[in-house]
Amino acid sequence: MMGKTTIPEEEFVFPGSTGCPGCGANLVMRYLLKGLGDRTILSIPACCWAVMPGYWPSNCLKVPLLYTAFEATGAAISGLRAALDIKGIQDVTVVGFAGDGGTVDIGLQAMSGAAERRTDAIYVMYDNEAYMNTGIQRSGSTPWGAWTTTTPVGNSHGFKHESKKDIMAIMQAHRIPYAATVSVAHPEDFVKKVRKAKDIKGFRFIHALSPCPPGWRMSPMHGVEVARLAVETHMFPLYEIEDGRVVVTRKGKGLPITEYTKFQGRFSHLTSQEIESIQESIDENWRNLLAKEASGT
Ligand SMILES: Cc1ncc(C[n+]2csc(CCOP(=O)(O)OP(=O)(O)O)c2C)c(N)n1
Ligand code: SF4
Ligand SMILES: [Mg+2]
């Protein structure tokens, strides 16, 4: 028998977002705010979600939002927290909500500073694995093998030949109290981790894989399925790092990576040997994650 959901029915993202059909980032915001409630202030830099709330005076978000420059989310949430502290407001959660480009690339130094200062805020990276808002350019979070408009297939260099940055390991090295990966295919787990993060003080980090139909060259109807397959193939494992200790929260079936790539045109040019090398790297990352869990680090 299916258990009763613990996800609140109340919505904090209303219809009217200007995101594309099937946008995973829309679901990331929806589950995040269900976990946090309306005593939340967001800061969002340049990215798809800077546009998605809508055109003034329309707004699909029920919570206040401070826009900031592309590179400045870490600084903006530090300022918001300091201002609330001066006013004696302690029941509001400050959230930085940024894309992968705004986090692992241009926003990395500001976020690193906020983490090092133990800023009392939650930083959410929605990871659609490229600079989508400006036309699908590669980022440091684009996986090896993927097509983007700046890693075009067919010229002498071809698809992206560099690996995805391990942002969770980067955040673990900052010794923050809590970091977790979440998936829009597992909303119960998603909201549970957000609630846990909410109750912890200091800098918390949430990494959400965020399927992007136009950027991943797939049908909008496959968005959630692809997110589920990312977990089942160990492409995007679900785990937490709490006070330095790694806990895998869903083992996944270990399906072949072709189950994940087959829906996505951004991988369709790859030869079977290239797919095999992706498989080897996923298997290695998965073994390393389990070893970290076993050793308590
Ligand atoms: C300093 C600066 N450089 C470039 C831009 C142009 N720009 C706006 S959004 C964006 C892409 C953001 O990528 P990401 O953070 O991954 O979010 P996504 O668009 O994928 O949601 C870029 C390059 C900018 N606004 N500011
Ligand atoms: S380009 Fe991708 S991330 Fe941006 S709104 Fe469309 S589906 Fe969402
Ligand atoms: Mg992006």
Side-chain angles (χ1 to χ4, degrees), residues 4 20 49 53 56 76 97 117 122 131 134 144 160 184-185 204 206 217 238 271 273 278-280 293:
K4 193 174 179 304
C20 312
W49 250 111
W56 189 87
F97 190 91
R117 290 188 300 272
I122 300 178
Y131 293 70
T134 40
W144 187 97
K160 185 177 171 188
V184 294
R204 296 88 88 196
I206 304 276
R217 293 294 191 247
L238 292 181
T271 63
Q273 267 177 332
I278 295 180
Q279 185 70 62
E280 282 166 15
E293 184 183 42

Side-chain angles (χ1 to χ4, degrees), residues 18-68:
T18 62
C20 312
C23 175
N26 206 44
L27 288 175
V28 173
M29 182 66 89
R30 190 167 167 229
Y31 294 134
L32 173 74
L33 293 180
K34 278 176 179 278
L36 294 179
D38 57 7
R39 295 294 287 164
T40 300
I41 296 182
L42 294 171
S43 182
I44 299 184
C47 60
C48 279
W49 250 111
V51 197
M52 285 163 65
Y55 305 106
W56 189 87
S58 305
N59 174 17
C60 73
L61 290 172
K62 200 178 176 183
V63 299
L65 160 61
L66 172 74
Y67 282 124
T68 190

Side-chain angles (χ1 to χ4, degrees), residues 27-290:
L27 288 175
V28 173
M29 182 66 89
R30 190 167 167 229
Y31 294 134
L32 173 74
L33 293 180
K34 278 176 179 278
L36 294 179
D38 57 7
R39 295 294 287 164
T40 300
I41 296 182
L42 294 171
S43 182
I44 299 184
C47 60
C48 279
W49 250 111
V51 197
M52 285 163 65
Y55 305 106
W56 189 87
S58 305
N59 174 17
C60 73
L61 290 172
K62 200 178 176 183
V63 299
L65 160 61
L66 172 74
Y67 282 124
T68 190
F70 198 12
E71 63 277 25
T73 309
I77 56 177
S78 300
L80 278 172
R81 184 70 262 163
L84 290 169
D85 288 348
I86 287 168
K87 284 174 161 284
I89 300 171
Q90 295 301 325
D91 66 331
V92 169
T93 307
V94 173
V95 177
F97 190 91
D100 49 297
T103 302
V104 309
D105 295 334
I106 192 167
L108 192 58
Q109 57 83 15
M111 179 177 69
S112 174
E116 187 263 337
R117 290 188 300 272
R118 301 183 199 172
T119 298
D120 189 22
I122 300 178
Y123 191 112
V124 180
M125 164 177 156
Y126 72 94
D127 187 4
N128 52 26
E129 301 188 321
Y131 293 70
M132 295 305 181
N133 187 240
T134 40
I136 323 174
Q137 295 87 16
R138 91 192 269 291
S139 78
S141 200
T142 304
W144 187 97
W147 162 91
T148 68
T149 54
T150 46
T151 52
V153 176
N155 69 8
S156 55
H157 188 61
F159 53 82
K160 185 177 171 188
H161 281 270
E162 297 80 26
S163 303
K164 184 180 173 84
K165 285 188 200 176
D166 186 348
I167 190 66
M168 287 290 282
I170 292 170
M171 297 322 292
Q172 186 178 20
H174 283 73
R175 300 176 202 281
I176 58 175
Y178 188 72
T181 60
V182 295
S183 168
V184 294
H186 297 280
E188 290 281 346
D189 177 78
F190 190 136
V191 173
K192 192 170 149 203
K193 285 171 176 166
V194 168
R195 284 181 173 140
K196 190 178 210 178
K198 185 183 177 186
D199 290 340
I200 293 171
K201 276 198 87 65
F203 193 90
R204 296 88 88 196
F205 183 78
I206 304 276
H207 181 187
L209 187 70
S210 186
C212 170
W216 294 10
R217 293 294 191 247
M218 64 181 187
S219 160
M221 73 182 210
H222 288 137
V224 174
E225 177 68 354
V226 161
R228 191 183 69 77
L229 288 166
V231 176
E232 296 303 325
T233 56
H234 300 156
M235 178 80 175
F236 189 80
L238 292 181
Y239 62 104
E240 296 174 306
I241 308 174
E242 201 170 348
D243 292 324
R245 292 184 70 88
V246 172
V247 176
V248 178
T249 50
R250 190 176 177 92
K251 297 282 183 214
K253 295 192 181 91
L255 297 177
I257 190 57
T258 44
E259 292 300 305
Y260 175 71
T261 53
K262 71 183 181 191
F263 289 109
Q264 303 176 59
R266 65 177 175 152
F267 295 117
S268 60
H269 52 276
L270 295 175
T271 63
S272 49
Q273 267 177 332
E274 286 159 350
I275 292 274
E276 187 48 38
S277 77
I278 295 180
Q279 185 70 62
E280 282 166 15
S281 122
I282 287 173
D283 293 345
E284 188 185 347
N285 290 345
W286 177 246
R287 281 194 299 274
N288 289 343
L289 185 66
L290 293 181

